[in-house]
Amino acid sequence: MSETPSLAHTLATTSQASPHRACFLLRVRPEKLAEYADVHQRVWDEMRQALRDAGWRHYSLFLDPDTGLVVGYYEADDARAAAAAMEDLEVNTRWQAEMAQYFQPDGGGTAHFLSQYFYLA
């Protein structure tokens, strides 16, 4: 019987990960969930355009209303480069400043990117 490789090894070597897809987690304060979801019904046009210009496609946010867990997903030619392209944009800085009030204070507004280990095309 072969030994199961370590999780770190599997995540680092899987052929099922893709540089084109990214998934991340955020945590919203329970008392701010309704307002947070509502604000996203009117994301600024300039923010939407900045995301497109940075290469983000199929960007979706999913919310678990029981826990405040937000799951974000997007695709890009290079997902890491697309995320980096947004970091220093003035519109993103303003948007993140506006969103800060909604996130849990223990780093809930810092995107925690997940490792992909399976994909069914």
Side-chain angles (χ1 to χ4, degrees):
M1 178 182 252
S2 67
E3 193 171 312
T4 301
S6 72
L7 177 59
H9 176 76
T10 299
L11 295 177
T13 62
T14 182
S15 63
Q16 297 196 51
S18 170
H20 308 293
R21 292 181 293 275
C23 184
F24 59 89
L25 303 176
L26 301 165
R27 291 221 177 253
V28 176
R29 294 169 41 195
E31 70 275 13
K32 293 283 197 170
L33 286 171
E35 188 178 345
Y36 174 80
D38 182 61
V39 165
H40 280 82
Q41 305 312 295
R42 295 173 305 285
V43 173
W44 307 332
D45 289 339
E46 63 183 320
M47 184 61 176
R48 289 173 178 267
Q49 190 60 51
L51 289 162
R52 286 186 194 100
D53 291 348
W56 293 48
R57 298 184 305 273
H58 305 290
Y59 182 25
S60 299
L61 294 172
F62 302 87
L63 175 66
D64 179 347
D66 294 332
T67 66
L69 179 67
V70 173
V71 176
Y73 172 85
Y74 67 94
E75 297 173 4
D77 292 339
D78 180 333
R80 289 180 190 260
M86 288 300 296
E87 287 180 9
D88 295 325
L89 293 180
E90 184 273 338
V91 66
N92 187 52
T93 300
R94 283 189 292 120
W95 179 262
Q96 297 308 326
E98 289 287 323
M99 293 299 104
Q101 66 181 310
Y102 299 108
F103 296 113
Q104 291 183 1
D106 59 350
T110 301
H112 173 74
F113 281 83
L114 303 179
S115 299
Q116 181 181 358
Y117 60 93
F118 179 80
Y119 179 69
L120 176 65

